Amino acid sequence: MKSKLHRFLSIALSMTIAMSLAACGGAQNQASSGNSAQSPAPSQVGSAAPAESKSEAAGESQADASTGDKFIDMKIGIAGDLNTLSPFAMKGSAHNMTKFSYTEHLCGVNAEGDLDPQVAKSWTTEDGKVYNVEIYDYVTDSAGNHITAADIEWSMLFHKAAGTNANLNKMESIKATGDYTLEIVLVDNIIGTFASVTRASPVMSRKAYEESPDEMANEIIATGHYVVEEFEPGSHMVLVKREDYWQTPDKTAYYSLANADRIEYKFIKEPSQMAIALETGDINVAQQMNHTIGEKFFDDPKYDAFISPSAVGTQLYFSGDTNRIVYGNPKLRQAVNVAIDIEGVIQAAYNGHGSPQYTVGPENSALYLEKWKEEPYFAYDPERAKQLLSEAGYAPGEVTLVLQCSNVDTQVKIAQVIQGYLLAVGINVEIANLDAALHVNAMKEATGYDMALDTVRGDYINGMWNTKFNMDFNKGKTFYGLVDEEQQKLLLNCVYEHNATPENIDAFHKFLYEKAYARGLCAPENFNFSRAELGVKELHYDPRSFIVAGATTFH
């Protein structure tokens, strides 16, 4: 993966200096030069890259897919469920795992995580809030409907009104300014906002959607390289390559690649059933298999293993409510943090298949600073924890903290391990195990716990911080009930496109560390397996670590 600064330049600023873009021939070439992250040009421009500057994965995939006459049939098992294809309905993880195979957006991301135009051809902005976007003038869906800017305006406004994608709330307005041009006005120019908005809503034909008898719940007509041939809710989905796909090969985006001829997604919630399906050949690819069950496939030559880092990590947050024990007592918070052995947490939660976090958030987020891995970060030290507990004003056994988590199995295991480590240094812990939805609401209230576990991901490390620590988002408090104006000032000094410099990002990271308001714990590895006869050379992933099936390369 390219540097986090490269991802920042590509996604946040998109491009600098329109004339240089034309001369240099594409987004990635321009983005890799200079220090424009710190001193953005007045006019920012994005554009579809020509074939030679597309990601290596994309170029290689196209070449591999065109060799030989072998019919490639992927049967992918995913641990989720899908009950509707309707493009604007509220859907869960299975939708996120599958939707990019048959729907397209203004933009996607490429193999390196950079913003990658799909239906959008180019864009410009003067202030990072108002964007003028041009789309390709030859986009069609699988029913032959011609897509114009009016369709996209309607799609995104309809989707926003439905309230099923919060990222569209970052869009203040959108209007078609011509047949193939749009003006998009963002609520603010916080880092990644344009990327979030342009990736939020599928491009749909208004005519096709309004003619559907069931809002496309069972049969969807979209612009993707694959079409849904068969869909049985809760069971499976079959996709076939579209022969009349609208885009030319040299401009086909990463998400729009179609290296497999047929893709079948099978919804398998039970981990043991996923393993059985792979063994029997009912599926030939298993995505994100359970760690314990998946270990047996590593040394078996009938299977190829692909390990990918998770984009979701677990963090520990301390309540900011003034009535909780941890409030106003940084020594106590520090005692908790150094009492936890992260390697033990990884062993218990992920069967040893994971990695520590060195800030509040996962390391594969854009703008993450690699130097944090080399710096001190709450190293496990039980004797130091006992000393800090004494400095906090407590003797062993005198204090009891409430640790809140969701009822997800992994969180419960992490909570139990933390409980054991804290007991060993004289801190009693009561675990409050809540339903996932209740857990989220209770975290915002912050009155019923001293510590809370949360599993948060973000395309940008500072974007994730903004979600959890910005006091403007939760009635003048952070997501965990804290009021700290100094923290707010440091946060706002690193989350906008013009100030998201490594120095400012590092300053906020150091503040969180010194105050011990929150800490990163760990992130799992994802186990993906394929049957050897399928001939997978490499799997490729989206920012959520889900497989981008059409981008798979084959031997």
Side-chain angles (χ1 to χ4, degrees):
M1 180 173 287
K2 297 187 179 180
S3 70
K4 301 301 186 298
L5 179 59
H6 171 81
R7 292 186 64 192
F8 165 61
L9 293 171
S10 297
I11 304 178
L13 300 183
S14 303
M15 293 304 307
T16 62
I17 310 177
M19 296 304 293
S20 295
L21 174 67
C24 294
Q28 291 188 358
N29 292 339
Q30 179 67 20
S32 63
S33 65
N35 296 312
S36 55
Q38 299 181 28
S39 304
S43 178
Q44 299 166 19
V45 179
S47 171
E52 63 269 22
S53 64
K54 286 284 184 181
S55 69
E56 289 184 12
E60 182 183 22
S61 297
Q62 293 283 24
D64 286 357
S66 64
T67 59
D69 297 323
K70 179 181 178 181
F71 184 87
I72 298 175
D73 186 3
M74 296 183 73
K75 300 177 181 178
I76 306 173
I78 58 176
D81 197 2
L82 187 64
N83 294 309
T84 178
L85 297 175
S86 185
F88 308 122
M90 179 69 77
K91 296 177 282 291
S93 60
H95 174 66
N96 293 322
M97 296 177 192
T98 59
K99 65 179 179 179
F100 296 112
S101 294
Y102 58 91
T103 64
E104 292 179 311
H105 301 65
L106 282 173
C107 294
V109 294
N110 63 17
E112 289 80 24
D114 305 327
L115 196 62
D116 191 23
Q118 286 189 293
V119 173
K121 183 179 181 180
S122 63
W123 56 87
T124 62
T125 181
E126 295 291 336
D127 58 4
K129 289 186 66 175
V130 180
Y131 283 79
N132 294 301
V133 179
E134 180 183 4
I135 67 170
Y136 287 102
D137 61 8
Y138 49 86
V139 183
T140 59
D141 65 21
S142 58
N145 295 299
H146 185 67
I147 303 296
T148 67
D151 288 301
I152 296 173
E153 175 189 333
W154 169 82
S155 293
M156 297 184 73
L157 289 176
F158 189 91
H159 199 174
K160 182 179 180 179
T164 56
N165 191 319
N167 282 325
L168 288 170
N169 294 330
K170 302 173 184 179
M171 180 182 71
E172 182 176 298
S173 64
I174 179 174
K175 64 179 179 181
T177 55
D179 288 343
Y180 306 105
T181 55
L182 296 152
E183 179 191 78
I184 297 177
V185 180
L186 307 178
V187 173
D188 56 43
N189 63 341
I190 287 177
I191 189 77
T193 302
F194 180 69
S196 297
V197 168
T198 56
R199 292 166 53 198
S201 188
V203 171
M204 306 296 297
S205 161
R206 180 174 185 173
K207 174 178 177 292
Y209 183 84
E210 292 181 342
E211 289 178 352
S212 171
D214 60 359
E215 299 179 329
M216 297 189 176
N218 293 291
E219 183 178 350
I220 187 169
I221 297 171
T223 64
H225 209 149
Y226 289 97
V227 295
V228 180
E229 183 180 67
E230 182 180 330
F231 173 58
E232 185 175 336
S235 175
H236 69 281
M237 172 197 297
V238 176
L239 311 176
V240 294
K241 187 186 299 187
R242 177 179 161 189
E243 297 301 328
D244 64 342
Y245 178 59
W246 61 273
Q247 187 56 285
T248 59
D250 62 313
K251 293 184 177 67
T252 298
Y254 172 66
Y255 274 178
S256 302
L257 294 172
N259 295 341
D261 298 285
R262 179 183 183 273
I263 301 170
E264 181 174 6
Y265 290 103
K266 299 201 173 186
F267 312 131
I268 307 173
K269 293 183 178 180
E270 172 58 44
S272 60
Q273 293 299 315
M274 180 80 77
I276 292 171
L278 185 64
E279 289 175 316
T280 60
D282 188 43
I283 61 174
N284 52 27
V285 176
Q287 177 174 264
Q288 298 186 8
M289 185 176 285
N290 175 278
H291 289 136
T292 302
I293 294 174
E295 285 183 334
K296 68 178 180 179
F297 294 102
F298 275 111
D299 297 323
D300 191 327
K302 296 193 298 293
Y303 307 96
D304 294 320
F306 301 89
I307 308 303
S308 64
S310 175
V312 179
T314 300
Q315 299 88 37
L316 180 69
Y317 299 84
F318 291 90
S319 173
D321 183 77
T322 56
N323 295 314
R324 301 307 306 186
I325 297 172
V326 295
Y327 179 81
N329 197 332
K331 294 290 186 181
L332 179 56
R333 299 193 297 267
Q334 291 167 7
V336 168
N337 285 328
V338 299
I340 300 171
D341 182 358
I342 296 302
E343 293 302 327
V345 175
I346 291 171
Q347 186 62 45
Y350 310 129
N351 210 32
H353 301 286
S355 58
Q357 291 188 330
Y358 298 94
T359 193
V360 182
E363 65 182 83
N364 53 4
S365 299
L367 301 184
Y368 180 97
L369 302 182
E370 294 294 329
K371 72 175 189 130
W372 292 336
K373 296 180 181 180
E374 308 302 323
E375 297 175 351
Y377 192 70
F378 302 121
Y380 175 53
D381 190 340
E383 294 306 313
R384 175 64 176 155
K386 294 175 184 178
Q387 179 183 340
L388 287 166
L389 179 63
S390 176
E391 293 175 8
Y394 296 100
E398 281 189 345
V399 62
T400 298
L401 304 180
V402 176
L403 173 57
Q404 181 182 299
C405 67
S406 79
N407 58 5
V408 175
D409 182 61
T410 300
Q411 277 206 18
V412 173
K413 288 180 180 178
I414 292 175
Q416 291 170 341
V417 174
I418 290 176
Q419 182 184 47
Y421 282 127
L422 295 185
L423 182 62
V425 300
I427 300 174
N428 299 315
V429 174
E430 295 179 0
I431 296 176
N433 179 353
L434 304 181
D435 173 79
L438 293 176
H439 176 51
V440 171
N441 291 329
M443 281 190 290
K444 291 182 180 181
E445 293 296 328
T447 57
Y449 64 88
D450 297 288
M451 307 173 289
L453 296 177
D454 202 357
T455 53
V456 184
R457 66 168 293 277
D459 291 342
Y460 299 84
I461 196 71
N462 49 344
M464 194 198 80
W465 294 341
N466 191 59
T467 300
K468 295 304 177 184
F469 299 111
N470 193 328
M471 298 194 310
D472 295 335
F473 292 171
N474 192 38
K475 301 177 182 178
K477 299 179 180 180
T478 70
F479 194 83
Y480 306 95
L482 179 69
V483 176
D484 188 319
E485 295 297 339
E486 183 181 0
Q487 177 179 274
Q488 181 77 353
K489 180 179 178 180
L490 287 169
L491 176 69
L492 296 181
N493 196 41
C494 75
V495 297
Y496 291 97
E497 293 190 352
H498 67 277
N499 65 18
T501 64
E503 293 77 16
N504 291 345
I505 290 169
D506 192 41
F508 185 79
H509 158 80
K510 288 178 178 176
F511 182 85
L512 284 183
Y513 174 67
E514 291 166 0
K515 294 289 187 178
Y517 286 148
R519 65 159 298 171
L521 292 172
C522 51
E525 295 173 333
N526 290 323
F527 283 10
N528 305 296
F529 297 96
S530 68
R531 291 179 64 89
E533 68 261 23
L534 182 60
V536 172
K537 181 178 180 181
E538 187 175 1
L539 294 175
H540 295 286
Y541 309 96
D542 71 4
R544 301 187 186 197
S545 303
F546 298 144
I547 295 170
V548 181
T552 303
T553 57
F554 301 90
H555 294 290

